[in-house]
DNA sequence: GAACAACCTCAAGTACCCTTGAAGTCAACC
DNA sequence: GGTTGACTTCAAGGGTACTTGAGGTTGTTC
């Protein structure tokens, strides 16, 4: 029977919902610190669940693994950096929400439109034109 | 001087904001119909701007290129399919919005938390625990 | 002592959406 | 007739986050 306070990679995987291969990958890219080995096999302390959970949560929130790496590093050493990164992501989330809501409205309009071929629908053409104009504006702003 | 009602790939690219390589790629995967060629070069009618604009808009909205392919095919032949696909994406957008809003709240809480190492913060631990429990529920729901 | 599950490493593959580079063609201009 | 710019094809590369497969070891169980 195994130690009860220590987890194998499979057990950690089950408790966190991350695949063992993903956990190995996280270790490989430096997101998770290398662990104690028992005859070659990784053993995790109970705290690992929280760490992996944090990683997964941050990934859900939209941080890339590289960003999560920075966050985990700044975690205890520099709460200021941590909060800066978090605030930046907050702005990104707001943007994403706004975009999704705009998209939602546009799709709703397209569905409500009585035309059979949407490309012929004036409403839709309007949406598309705005999309194209947005692109052009971006190009003009940063040439 | 060239025909005024017809566009080269570069001109179409400038009018739509899509790179020429992207337009060729769209054609390659069947998203854009192959066009007339003038001594080997693609020539697009004015309607192409709308078509490409539609593709770009749909991509923004979150459709994959494969889905956009289906949509373009169903466009005039089957408005019902079109609306079905659109409605499904609407639900997806709602989900995405809800997720982003939940993430926003969680990040806000994390920022507001007075703890220096967030992993030790009870609020944050709670967020992470909910994330893990959510995962487990999913696993139970679809084993 | 053989099977079995779960672990290990390392290289390569996957999915999506393109971009980049090499090598060449074509029309227009000087 | 040589350069320029925009076009052509085709194969390969790139970023992100993993997964998969081959080939091998360890520990437990029958």
């Amino acid at each position: 029977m195994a130690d009860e306070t220590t987890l194998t990679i499979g057990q950690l995987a089950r408790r966190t919902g991350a695949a063992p291969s993903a956990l190995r990958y996280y270790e490989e890219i430096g997101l998770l610190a290398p662990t104690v080995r028992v005859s070659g096999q990784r053993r995790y302390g109970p705290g690992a669940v929280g760490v992996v959970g944090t990683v997964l949560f941050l990934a859900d929130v939209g941080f890339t693994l590289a960003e999560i790496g920075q966050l985990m590093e700044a975690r205890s050493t520099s709460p200021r950096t941590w909060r800066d990164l978090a605030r930046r992501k907050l702005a990104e989330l707001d943007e994403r929400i706004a975009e999704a809501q705009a998209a939602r409205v546009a799709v709703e309009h397209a569905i409500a439109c009585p035309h059979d071929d949407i490309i012929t629908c004036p409403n839709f053409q309007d949406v598309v034109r705005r999309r194209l104009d947005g692109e052009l504006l971006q190009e003009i702003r940063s040439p």
Side-chain angles (χ1 to χ4, degrees), chain A:
Chain A
M1 198 161 277
D3 187 340
E4 300 215 337
T5 63
T6 191
L7 299 169
T8 66
I9 199 170
Q11 292 171 326
L12 181 58
R14 258 165 269 136
R15 291 217 196 328
T16 58
S21 60
L23 295 174
R24 289 192 201 100
Y25 176 68
Y26 291 161
E27 185 182 307
E28 193 188 324
I29 63 170
L31 241 183
L32 258 42
T35 63
V36 178
R37 300 288 185 122
V38 173
S39 61
Q41 299 192 358
R42 293 168 180 82
R43 288 300 135 87
Y44 298 90
V49 175
V51 174
V52 173
T54 302
V55 168
L56 295 178
F57 162 72
L58 293 173
D60 276 0
V61 165
F63 288 95
T64 66
L65 295 188
E67 288 171 328
I68 296 174
Q70 289 176 34
L71 282 171
M72 297 303 268
E73 217 177 324
R75 200 182 49 154
S76 53
T77 54
S78 173
R80 236 189 86 186
T81 304
W82 202 97
R83 284 192 172 76
D84 281 354
L85 288 169
R87 259 190 286 271
R88 229 175 293 163
K89 191 56 68 168
L90 208 57
E92 230 180 277
L93 280 169
D94 284 339
E95 214 179 304
R96 214 192 302 166
I97 291 169
E99 270 169 21
Q101 278 169 343
R104 196 193 185 290
V105 169
V107 172
E108 227 169 16
H109 280 168
I111 290 176
C113 161
H115 288 72
D116 276 354
D117 184 343
I118 33 115
I119 280 200
T120 66
C121 163
N123 279 344
F124 193 80
Q125 282 177 348
D126 218 57
V127 166
V128 169
R129 197 169 52 247
R130 268 201 293 278
R131 200 286 181 191
L132 293 178
D133 291 351
E135 277 291 330
L136 290 177
L137 281 176
Q138 273 191 353
E139 277 175 23
I140 290 162
R141 262 187 258 124
S142 56

